[in-house]
Amino acid sequence: MEKEPIKSHEDLEVYKMAFDVAMKIFELSKKFLVEEKYSLTDQIRRSSRSVCANLAEAWRKRRYEAAFVAKLNDCESEAAETQTWLKFALQCNYLNVETGRELYETYNRVLGILVNIIKNPSSWLIKR
């Protein structure tokens, strides 16, 4: 069975994974304390969504390797930042250990894919 060709960033497995986990974080963060609204809640939502937004930008910059890789590096940074916020949420008892571990591991998978693309960008680039 052949895979469908990738036509947009939304077809990328890494994008789908990052989007799904960002939506889980959004739902879970609705239960964070109200005093966290402008700190932890806002930050974890922003960084998790930024992974997806930067992936969309990277996809559109595939004509230029340096620009493509730079945006992927931004994705990587945002994913790692989200992991840090997840640790804070766990330590503050806003997430249970199992949920925190699951979300953190999803970001490990996202990071692994991003690092592989960053190391080997040529197959992703639009040939001129």
Side-chain angles (χ1 to χ4, degrees):
M1 191 167 167
E2 260 184 67
K3 275 189 164 184
E4 289 291 315
I6 297 171
K7 295 177 184 161
S8 90
H9 64 277
E10 292 180 353
D11 296 332
L12 297 168
E13 286 303 316
V14 68
Y15 178 87
K16 292 175 190 176
M17 193 183 313
F19 189 90
D20 289 345
V21 72
M23 290 307 300
K24 284 180 189 169
I25 286 171
F26 172 73
E27 289 301 323
L28 290 165
S29 67
K30 287 180 181 180
K31 296 179 179 131
F32 291 3
L33 295 180
V34 71
E35 55 262 25
E36 293 285 9
K37 183 176 183 179
Y38 298 109
S39 54
L40 179 58
T41 305
D42 180 60
Q43 291 291 343
I44 198 167
R45 287 177 179 178
R46 184 202 53 75
S47 64
S48 65
R49 291 171 177 170
S50 190
V51 176
C52 300
N54 281 301
L55 270 168
E57 287 186 58
W59 184 256
R60 291 296 175 184
K61 293 186 177 208
R62 290 173 297 128
R63 284 177 185 82
Y64 312 101
E65 183 175 341
F68 176 61
V69 170
K71 277 317 223 185
L72 291 174
N73 280 316
D74 291 343
C75 293
E76 185 183 357
S77 298
E78 295 293 341
E81 179 182 338
T82 303
Q83 286 183 314
T84 300
W85 293 121
L86 285 169
K87 283 187 168 187
F88 277 108
L90 193 57
Q91 287 295 308
C92 294
N93 295 312
Y94 300 144
L95 298 174
N96 66 49
V97 173
E98 185 178 321
T99 300
R101 187 175 292 134
E102 176 188 314
L103 297 171
Y104 197 92
E105 286 303 315
T106 301
Y107 278 102
N108 275 343
R109 289 194 301 280
V110 167
L111 284 163
I113 294 167
L114 292 171
V115 167
N116 282 332
I117 298 171
I118 290 167
K119 285 181 176 178
N120 305 294
S122 59
S123 63
W124 296 91
L125 300 174
I126 296 172
K127 310 297 184 237
R128 294 189 228 177

